[in-house]
Amino acid sequence: MLSKGAPAAPAVAAMYNASAKDTTFALTHSRSIGSVSIRRRYNVFLCNSSSSSRKVSPLLAVATGEQPSGVASLREADKEKSLGNRLRLGSLTEDGLSYKEKFVIRCYEVGINKTATIETIANLLQEVGGNHAQGVGFSTDGFATTTTMRKLHLIWVTARMHIEIYRYPAWSDVIEIETWVQGEGKVGTRRDWILKDYANGEVIGRATSKWVMMNEDTRRLQKVSDDVREEYLVFCPRTLRLAFPEENNNSMKKIPKLEDPAEYSRLGLVPRRSDLDMNKHVNNVTYIGWALESIPPEIIDTHELQAITLDYRRECQRDDIVDSLTSREPLGNAAGVKFKEINGSVSPKKDEQDLSRFMHLLRSAGSGLEINRCRTEWRKKPAKR
């Protein structure tokens, strides 16, 4: 059985005569998404454990392009994919160029405001991105790694993330997140998201990110090769589609380095084992919590986070000790964007009186090297309902 989003294998006879040795052959299946024709290659394994010829059924078709170690493990992996896809409330859109998934906000995902935290939102963005990658047949043993990437020990790492939340969902609310991927020059890709309240279709948030390729062994950045680009561009929109199409939007703004002395600080932050992800470094969502650790308490009490931009400068490992520094940014340095109807949402004009902006720096406590630059924007909390 194939994972959801992968095309069904071509019809084949239910029974084949297999020789004493296992046999592998290839089937090619074509399908069209819009105006694009996609050809997928399936490795079909005829498995025979006896020394004599016998009937084998069913055939096992796998859309990975790689021969796995054994048929039993293949069947188990395929079964797990099928179960996950059946339970997951997500699927590719009709044109196959984006992915939508619904999530119910759980009680442990809300914070002191009784709404989802920014870390929850960021984790959901990461989750839906990974599920999108699985839906088009990419790897489950890394964050959206393609066949070529796995062969060359390459991984995707976050270079920049920008998130804006116009209204935070509460416990038991259902949100729908749409995501899609596009090329970003020769060194990376971009992934965008739109978040909606599933009950009424209201856009409650948007996000965009840039990802670059890193060699898992050397930990050095590497250009995106044509082979890798061809593997994922077939699943990308044909024309540029941006979550933030408005000119001079805050997602594009450069973040200057925060100089000492900072107004606020939280020193000696230590990564927990649970902060490490499958890429063997501190996950990008952890940096958000670290940056907010040095926000003054009076802001936490009276405001809620409206927008956050993070520039990831270097990866953080298990043994690193991190200092979080924060200073206020004068409002005049960051003009508010006047939103019109964008991506189906109308956002009100920003009131400078109710906004507070901060610059953040995460750095290594030992070497002083930059780990992350961050900018946050806070609005006054809405009146309690």
Side-chain angles (χ1 to χ4, degrees), residues 65-126:
E66 298 177 325
Q67 181 169 348
S69 57
V71 173
S73 62
L74 268 174
R75 287 191 178 119
E76 283 302 311
D78 203 48
K79 186 188 299 181
E80 290 176 8
K81 289 180 184 177
S82 302
L83 179 61
N85 283 332
R86 287 201 301 269
L87 297 178
R88 190 175 292 135
L89 300 176
S91 63
L92 292 170
T93 54
E94 186 174 351
D95 61 8
L97 303 180
S98 68
Y99 176 90
K100 292 182 179 181
E101 186 168 351
K102 295 176 282 293
F103 298 93
V104 180
I105 302 301
R106 298 173 173 86
C107 64
Y108 57 82
E109 295 174 322
V110 304
I112 59 175
N113 296 331
K114 300 181 181 179
T115 56
T117 64
I118 188 63
E119 290 94 337
T120 291
I121 298 297
N123 276 318
L124 291 179
L125 298 181
Q126 187 168 262

Side-chain angles (χ1 to χ4, degrees), residues 255-320:
I255 305 177
K257 182 179 179 180
L258 178 63
E259 301 294 343
D260 282 332
E263 294 181 62
Y264 311 96
S265 63
R266 179 71 184 274
L267 308 180
L269 298 171
V270 179
R272 303 167 300 174
R273 285 188 176 86
S274 59
D275 294 326
L276 305 181
D277 62 25
M278 65 182 79
N279 286 338
K280 303 175 185 177
H281 59 198
V282 173
N283 186 264
N284 65 82
V285 177
T286 302
Y287 293 73
I288 297 176
W290 283 347
L292 301 186
E293 279 294 312
S294 52
I295 282 285
E298 60 270 19
I299 293 296
I300 299 294
D301 293 339
T302 59
H303 290 65
E304 64 180 8
L305 185 65
Q306 172 170 286
I308 183 169
T309 310
L310 302 108
D311 277 342
Y312 296 86
R313 317 291 286 189
R314 58 175 38 82
E315 62 178 344
C316 184
Q317 305 292 350
R318 172 72 178 88
D319 297 328
D320 290 337

Side-chain angles (χ1 to χ4, degrees), residues 17 22 41 56 63 84 86 132 139-140 143 193 197 208 229 232 267 281-282 292 297-298 346 357:
N17 288 323
D22 291 351
R41 178 185 174 90
V56 179
R86 287 201 301 269
H132 178 204
S139 174
T140 59
F143 288 127
W193 298 264
D197 183 332
T208 187
R229 197 182 309 277
Y232 72 80
L267 308 180
H281 59 198
V282 173
L292 301 186
E298 60 270 19
V346 178
R357 295 191 182 95

Side-chain angles (χ1 to χ4, degrees), residues 163-182:
I163 306 172
E164 294 184 9
I165 302 298
Y166 312 125
R167 179 172 62 80
Y168 282 89
W171 178 19
S172 295
D173 282 355
V174 181
I175 63 173
E176 181 180 68
I177 305 177
E178 181 182 9
T179 186
W180 62 95
V181 177
Q182 293 167 115

